[in-house]
Amino acid sequence: MKKEDKYSLAKWAIEHALKNGAQQASVSISDSRSSSIEVREQKIDKLEQAIQNNLTIRLFVDNKYSAHSTNRLKQQELARFIEEAIAGTRFLSEDEFRTLPDPELYYKGGGPELNVFDSRIDTIDPQKKIDLAFGVENEVFGKDERLISVTASYYDGMNGRVMVNSNGFEGDTASSYYGLYATVSVKGGDARPEAYWNENAIFFDRLKTEGIGAKALDRALKKFGQKKIASARMTMIVENVSAGRLLSPLIAALNGSAIQQKNSFLIDQLGQQVASEKLTLTDDPFIPGGRASRLFDGEGLASKKMAVFEKGVLKTYYIDTYYGKKLNMAPTTGGTSNLILETGDKNLEQLIASLDRGILVTGFNGGNSNGSTGDFSFGIDGFLIEKGQIVQPVSEMNITGNLKDLWMNLAETGNDFREDSSWRIPSLVFNQVDFSGI
Amino acid sequence: MELNRRNFLKTGSVAVAGSVFLPPLLQSCQNVPISEQMKFFLDHFEVTPQMLQKVIAAAMSKGGDYADLFFEHTTSGNLGLEDGKVNRAFSNIDYGVGIRVLKGDQTGFAYSEEVSLESMLNAAKLAANIADSKNSFSPPVTAEKVPANYYPIARKWEAVSVKDKVPFVQKINDKIFALDEKVIKVNAFMGDSTSYILFYNSEGRLSYDYRPMAHFGALCIMQRGQQIENAYAARSFRKGYEWLTDELVDELAREAVDRTNILFDATKPKAGEMPVVMGAGGSGILLHEAIGHTFEADFNRKGTSIFSDKMGKKVAENFINIIDDGTLENNRGSINIDDEGNEVQKTYLVKDGILNSYIHDRISANYYQVAPTGNGRRESFRNVPIPRMRATYMETGPHTRDDIFAAVEYGVYVDNFTNGQVQIGAGDFTFFVKSGYLIEKGKLTRPIKDINIIGNGPQALADITMAANDYLIDNGTWTCGKDGQSVPVTCGLPTVLVKKLTVGGTNA
């Protein structure tokens, strides 16, 4: 669907909603295309192609609120869809806090070029995609007798979106992605350890195509001989690819909805020291080529670079228009863009080398955390480290504690974040973590 | 795009309410005998058997061995309550057809959100590319397959106004506040969805399904002094509007309050390996994670499951029978036909302690040369079917609950969970315990909360040394994730003793 067509349909939908009783409305229309090729045992295992369209309308009717989406975009059907949605909304209770954002806060154009869309997306030769997937498989297929399965995939796609708000916002976004992925299983004894690796890029030319299969195989082989070890309180190094798992419940606790609904362990903590001085985290929407770069957020609010934590002090919550009104706070934005965690000077090898005894966590296996108290317990995958050396892969271990204590015990940050991720988090070192084993 | 290949199970509400859309009725051409019911579904999607045959022929045009068409029209609606008022509603309409072509165990797949002949032929040609030979495909004789009816309902959600659902959501809020003065917030949620499914394949099988689904529940947030805790209660069934009653409201409200209350005095156990008694019901998450996923035949076909060479072997005590069942009446995990048009059955995965069957889709059943088990499921027409669980449970065992507690000197009793996960090859699985109790000298003592438990599938299965006579299915809002696709499931268990699992906790 062309951008102009999306704009005209969105404006028509807004008009139709206003004509039928809504005082305000917001419409967003998106389309996405994707393709993926999965190869296994030197054959194409799966070819998938997809094109999808969606229209979402948010309605503000006599102080009542609802949101509706559909993939049936014919105007005649949409007219009825919107009329029925408005009729249904009238049966809800009033909510004085529901309005569109203050137009003063909208993005009004003139932002920098973010470089998040590759116009080549529709021109990549399908055979080239297949060759890339086989390239990943061929790095390992038949190269190690312990290998029992390798599946490699190539995937790409684009998303285009237009958003129109009835009180004066119009904006559109387009983004693209390319990726290669390998998952490898190896056998030794009864266990069949599995590992994966992937690379992503916004631009086809920047997609890393080598080393993916090899890295997945290497990671799987390293898991051979996993053993249970004794419970202990130890230092933990979390590898960069997994560190986001520990940051996400911290970010969730900053959400306006969690704060207002008393489901956060960081209520009333703005300006307080809630983590160690090693934690400096910035939300930066303007990184050129950043996976989550944006000029405006999901409501149309103009993007701003924000300090989230500065040397462990909490600097901001994530507040959208609705919870801003409920909390009587100024809106910031409803969700994260790119998150940049300030790096230290060691890479992962150096962090390991400087550890006397502890666990290197390379993956998480389930677990959860309690939003209101910050208590957590996660299953982990990883290695025992002694005297600066990896000595043993471990199995069936949990880490358990409280997120505030954990982040207060952040001892060091590495220098090794991955640029292809929207959360640029290096490997992290935490002291005094409770591990449960035998 | 994030590729999520983790296999997990979570409870919690899935977005689902509804604006009703009915396409204009078309007259189906009838050169094959077609029931009134089938004609209704064909008309719903504005297709005829002749159109379906043309699309299948295009899908088979490059030499595929098999092709199928999966039409879906889903309408869903959700209501939410926050700060005392039912003040938000969400609805969604999803419509389209997925076209799949198989060549051996290779898959070509494309879908179309438009169900015009032209759009379907385009998608069919894309999917056909998995094969690459000339082929003269002769269209099969169309044979209607009348599906079972495992979820009879009285009142269709599509015909129920928002007005008639709102009072129940309001009542659960009011009931929870009335039950305990520590309650400071309630988040209540109610959702329903209705799916029309039409299926046709290159073997001529023509079938349909009508799938209702509803969930209802509330999160209760309480404060005692400075301490804030929350827990929720929810149920989900393939039932109609008649399911919503004041009794259900009372039951859920009471459960949400009780589950929150026990958290205030709960602590963490000491970390380490210990006996774990799993309470009847939701503890079925153990089966789902410890063995269910690893029995899915796609993993076994590829040799990547830790159970890949255990078929016919003893994997558990003799009294253990584990079932994956798609036929339980009105159950969240039931389906009248699977998403490959196959009949659904009650499948014994473990019979008398012996590994009896994997969980199959068409590709794996063909690979293992066994009959399909009716486990080929997909999240929607946008996805390919893969082997998935339905309702996974263990039958009653020979012991009593009291016998089991008496056998434990020091351990934990767990009966309330939020989520679990498994690593297929290593077999390590986990589940997160929202609340439970310590067992000391055979008695439940202090409450515990927020701990992860981890074990190894084959070992944990072998370590189930006792099972009680109190088997129960848990009808929570269980949703299973695999290869980025979510499907509704349930699980169940009698009270069992697992000799040892690793319990998260402190080392202080």
Side-chain angles (χ1 to χ4, degrees):
Chain A
M1 201 170 179
K2 286 202 202 94
K3 191 160 83 182
E4 299 70 42
D5 297 339
K6 283 189 232 169
Y7 268 118
S8 65
L9 185 61
K11 287 175 185 171
W12 167 84
I14 295 260
E15 253 173 57
H16 194 73
L18 299 185
K19 212 160 53 189
N20 283 278
Q23 283 76 42
Q24 292 189 314
S26 165
V27 171
S28 119
I29 297 177
S30 61
D31 66 334
S32 65
R33 296 197 285 284
S34 62
S35 75
S36 72
I37 294 145
E38 194 168 294
V39 303
R40 217 183 141 258
E41 302 200 326
Q42 307 285 289
K43 287 190 306 191
I44 296 175
D45 200 54
K46 208 183 287 177
L47 277 177
E48 290 190 69
Q49 295 227 29
I51 300 177
Q52 56 181 317
N53 296 288
N54 179 274
L55 177 145
T56 297
I57 185 163
R58 299 165 62 223
L59 295 165
F60 303 79
V61 185
D62 303 340
N63 284 330
K64 297 169 179 179
Y65 172 78
S66 66
H68 309 267
S69 60
T70 178
N71 72 340
R72 308 226 0 136
L73 304 192
K74 293 207 179 80
Q75 208 157 313
Q76 200 186 336
E77 271 180 43
L78 280 174
R80 187 165 158 197
F81 176 73
I82 293 168
E83 290 155 27
E84 287 181 359
I86 292 172
T89 308
R90 294 187 192 280
F91 294 117
L92 301 174
S93 293
E94 288 191 26
D95 190 344
E96 58 184 305
F97 303 107
R98 285 288 184 189
T99 65
L100 285 174
D102 176 355
E104 285 296 306
L105 302 176
Y106 281 145
Y107 172 67
K108 297 182 182 74
E113 171 56 50
L114 296 175
N115 242 350
V116 292
F117 182 72
D118 181 355
S119 53
R120 285 185 64 189
I121 186 75
D122 289 324
T123 65
I124 311 296
D125 177 9
Q127 189 56 47
K128 175 80 183 156
K129 303 180 186 187
I130 294 170
D131 292 346
L132 283 171
F134 278 122
V136 172
E137 188 195 12
N138 289 337
E139 279 184 13
V140 292
F141 187 77
K143 303 271 163 73
D144 192 303
E145 60 189 18
R146 296 163 293 181
L147 182 80
I148 45 180
S149 173
V150 49
T151 302
S153 14
Y154 168 92
Y155 51 89
D156 65 17
M158 62 78 62
N159 301 291
R161 189 166 77 104
V162 154
M163 186 165 84
V164 178
N165 292 354
S166 63
N167 66 345
F169 175 82
E170 287 181 16
D172 55 84
T173 60
S175 60
S176 57
Y177 59 85
Y178 301 88
L180 284 165
Y181 180 95
T183 175
V184 161
S185 290
V186 292
K187 185 166 170 23
D190 256 358
R192 296 165 190 241
E194 186 178 46
Y196 72 91
W197 194 252
N198 70 327
E199 293 288 344
N200 294 295
I202 290 172
F203 291 88
F204 184 73
D205 291 342
R206 296 193 201 150
L207 180 64
K208 204 175 158 203
T209 58
E210 284 173 12
I212 298 160
K215 185 120 185 181
L217 176 62
D218 181 55
R219 288 175 77 89
L221 290 174
K222 280 186 173 146
K223 292 183 179 178
F224 270 138
Q226 280 185 317
K227 266 191 205 145
K228 298 202 255 189
I229 64 166
S231 302
R233 188 168 282 184
M234 285 181 278
T235 296
M236 166 172 78
I237 301 176
V238 182
E239 189 185 19
N240 58 3
V241 289
S242 295
R245 179 65 186 272
L246 298 176
L247 186 64
S248 58
L250 202 61
I251 299 298
L254 302 180
N255 194 291
S257 147
I259 300 291
Q260 196 269 333
Q261 287 298 304
K262 307 283 186 199
N263 196 6
S264 166
F265 57 96
L266 292 174
I267 294 172
D268 295 333
Q269 306 274 301
L270 269 188
Q272 311 270 313
Q273 186 86 36
V274 300
S276 102
E277 292 199 346
K278 295 287 180 186
L279 180 62
T280 292
L281 187 76
T282 308
D283 190 304
D284 186 351
F286 301 118
I287 299 174
R291 293 262 293 177
S293 293
R294 64 191 188 199
L295 297 171
F296 54 88
D297 72 3
E299 293 191 288
L301 302 182
S303 295
K304 276 185 279 202
K305 187 170 168 175
M306 306 192 298
V308 185
F309 297 97
E310 249 173 39
K311 295 192 180 302
V313 174
L314 177 59
K315 304 302 279 185
T316 191
Y317 290 125
Y318 283 91
I319 308 285
D320 66 7
T321 301
Y322 178 65
Y323 287 100
K325 284 197 193 315
K326 276 193 156 181
L327 290 161
N328 199 20
M329 291 170 80
T332 54
T333 179
T336 59
S337 68
N338 303 296
L339 287 180
I340 318 298
L341 202 152
E342 194 170 281
T343 51
D345 23 284
K346 292 182 190 148
N347 62 24
L348 183 60
E349 287 68 36
Q350 290 163 326
L351 291 174
I352 292 168
S354 59
L355 184 62
D356 185 54
R357 187 165 195 276
I359 302 280
L360 166 66
V361 170
T362 54
F364 285 96
N365 188 0
N368 208 331
S369 59
N370 178 330
S372 22
T373 62
D375 287 339
F376 72 88
S377 190
F378 299 120
I380 60 115
D381 256 0
F383 301 86
L384 175 66
I385 296 167
E386 279 173 352
K387 299 195 170 37
Q389 303 280 328
I390 288 179
V391 293
Q392 175 68 54
V394 299
S395 66
E396 294 178 58
M397 291 198 96
N398 289 307
I399 56 168
T400 302
N402 187 279
L403 286 160
K404 260 171 124 170
D405 299 339
L406 179 83
W407 283 97
M408 278 291 187
N409 281 316
L410 175 67
E412 198 168 354
T413 61
N415 64 1
D416 57 346
F417 70 87
R418 292 190 72 181
E419 275 193 25
D420 65 355
S421 168
S422 58
W423 286 21
R424 299 185 172 191
I425 309 172
S427 298
L428 303 174
V429 184
F430 298 90
N431 287 333
Q432 300 283 320
V433 178
D434 272 321
F435 286 85
S436 58
I438 322 175
Chain B
M1 177 176 110
E2 299 296 329
L3 275 185
N4 183 353
R5 283 161 198 268
R6 282 183 303 162
N7 304 289
F8 62 88
L9 182 66
K10 63 182 182 191
T11 65
S13 72
V14 194
V16 237
S19 179
V20 182
F21 161 74
L22 289 171
L25 291 183
L26 271 190
Q27 200 59 34
S28 303
C29 297
Q30 298 195 16
N31 66 342
V32 283
I34 280 176
S35 69
E36 278 303 302
Q37 230 358 37
M38 180 58 78
K39 191 165 135 2
F40 173 83
F41 278 82
L42 289 166
D43 289 347
H44 187 96
F45 288 101
E46 304 179 48
V47 293
T48 61
Q50 290 75 12
M51 282 166 77
L52 301 184
Q53 287 193 339
K54 277 184 192 158
V55 178
I56 282 287
M60 297 290 280
S61 62
K62 295 271 184 75
D65 299 330
Y66 168 87
D68 58 23
L69 315 178
F70 181 87
F71 295 80
E72 176 188 358
H73 174 205
T74 296
T75 56
S76 61
N78 266 345
L79 289 175
L81 173 144
E82 185 176 292
D83 291 327
K85 293 186 287 193
V86 185
N87 49 19
R88 60 205 63 189
F90 307 97
S91 78
N92 186 52
I93 294 176
D94 208 17
Y95 189 99
V97 55
I99 300 176
R100 176 174 72 148
V101 179
L102 298 183
K103 177 77 183 173
D105 52 13
Q106 299 172 271
T107 303
F109 182 74
Y111 67 78
S112 171
E113 294 181 310
E114 282 187 35
V115 174
S116 67
L117 184 59
E118 188 192 349
S119 305
M120 288 194 285
L121 289 174
N122 284 337
K125 284 172 197 157
L126 283 175
N129 285 328
I130 194 68
D132 56 2
S133 59
K134 286 271 177 287
N135 184 27
S136 58
F137 170 71
S138 45
V141 177
T142 296
E144 182 178 340
K145 172 81 191 167
V146 178
N149 185 12
Y150 299 124
Y151 22 90
I153 61 169
R155 287 191 66 183
K156 293 181 173 185
W157 290 104
E158 303 151 280
V160 177
S161 159
V162 169
K163 184 177 68 173
D164 297 322
K165 300 183 228 176
V166 163
F168 291 97
V169 184
Q170 187 67 49
K171 273 188 228 173
I172 197 168
N173 172 76
D174 302 350
K175 183 79 188 175
I176 289 174
F177 271 100
L179 281 170
D180 199 307
E181 57 189 20
K182 294 194 294 302
V183 176
I184 54 169
K185 297 270 184 190
V186 170
N187 282 278
F189 44 88
M190 202 261 115
D192 58 78
S193 76
T194 301
S195 297
Y196 290 81
I197 306 292
L198 174 69
F199 178 87
Y200 187 64
N201 70 14
S202 56
E203 293 161 358
R205 175 172 286 203
L206 181 63
S207 197
Y208 60 85
D209 198 2
Y210 176 87
R211 297 178 180 167
M213 182 71 86
H215 73 267
F216 181 33
L219 175 79
C220 164
I221 302 172
M222 289 193 202
Q223 183 163 11
R224 190 177 79 179
Q226 289 303 301
Q227 191 182 357
I228 296 176
E229 292 285 359
N230 72 64
Y232 74 91
R235 298 280 186 281
S236 178
F237 288 96
R238 291 200 186 274
K239 288 185 178 175
Y241 178 68
E242 66 280 4
W243 174 53
L244 293 182
T245 61
D246 289 349
E247 290 70 38
L248 177 64
V249 168
D250 288 352
E251 180 183 317
L252 286 167
R254 171 72 59 190
E255 188 174 305
V257 168
D258 289 349
R259 283 181 164 187
T260 313
N261 250 327
I262 66 166
L263 301 174
F264 286 104
D265 295 312
T267 53
K268 292 193 174 74
K270 194 170 149 35
E273 267 189 0
M274 62 189 78
V276 176
V277 176
M278 313 230 17
S283 297
I285 190 171
L286 171 81
L287 303 179
H288 184 100
E289 302 298 356
I291 57 168
H293 277 298
T294 47
F295 280 22
E296 287 165 349
D298 46 349
F299 299 123
N300 287 285
R301 171 171 70 85
K302 296 174 186 176
T304 60
S305 166
I306 192 154
F307 280 100
S308 292
D309 47 18
K310 299 267 197 285
M311 183 56 68
K313 295 188 178 154
K314 185 166 161 64
V315 292
E317 296 282 351
N318 292 338
F319 57 80
I320 290 181
N321 292 296
I322 299 170
I323 289 150
D324 184 78
D325 193 342
T327 71
L328 298 176
E329 187 156 290
N330 294 111
N331 188 276
R332 177 175 167 83
S334 290
I335 34 179
N336 289 329
I337 52 169
D338 79 358
D339 299 335
E340 303 182 296
N342 286 316
E343 263 177 49
V344 169
Q345 39 162 261
K346 174 177 175 180
T347 312
Y348 276 84
L349 305 180
V350 174
K351 190 140 182 60
D352 302 327
I354 291 174
L355 177 45
N356 181 67
S357 174
Y358 290 135
I359 289 170
H360 287 290
D361 66 359
R362 169 178 272 271
I363 294 175
S364 72
N366 195 35
Y367 175 88
Y368 282 100
Q369 292 292 302
V370 296
T373 56
N375 288 88
R377 301 183 66 187
R378 48 175 144 206
E379 178 175 299
S380 79
F381 68 90
R382 298 175 205 281
N383 307 96
V384 294
I386 48 178
R388 301 303 293 266
M389 284 173 264
R390 301 160 305 199
T392 311
Y393 56 90
M394 182 189 292
E395 288 180 339
T396 287
H399 307 97
T400 68
R401 224 173 107 92
D402 291 346
D403 295 342
I404 291 177
F405 285 123
V408 179
E409 180 65 21
Y410 181 89
V412 293
Y413 170 76
V414 294
D415 64 352
N416 185 12
F417 309 88
T418 58
N419 56 295
Q421 196 167 310
V422 61
Q423 297 173 340
I424 301 302
D428 282 7
F429 67 91
T430 72
F431 50 85
F432 188 80
V433 177
K434 185 67 192 164
S435 64
Y437 288 88
L438 269 187
I439 307 173
E440 292 169 292
K441 296 191 189 347
K443 296 272 184 294
L444 296 184
T445 56
R446 285 184 296 133
I448 56 167
K449 66 174 175 183
D450 295 325
I451 49 155
N452 204 41
I453 291 187
I454 190 161
N456 189 268
Q459 188 61 49
L461 185 55
D463 277 349
I464 300 177
T465 51
M466 298 176 86
N469 50 5
D470 57 354
Y471 139 78
L472 192 68
I473 291 275
D474 185 88
N475 292 303
T477 49
W478 299 98
T479 298
C480 171
K482 174 180 171 184
D483 286 5
Q485 296 193 47
S486 291
V487 297
V489 297
T490 56
C491 58
L493 200 70
T495 303
V496 303
L497 171 63
V498 187
K499 210 163 61 183
K500 62 177 194 306
L501 291 171
T502 299
V503 177
T506 58
N507 296 298

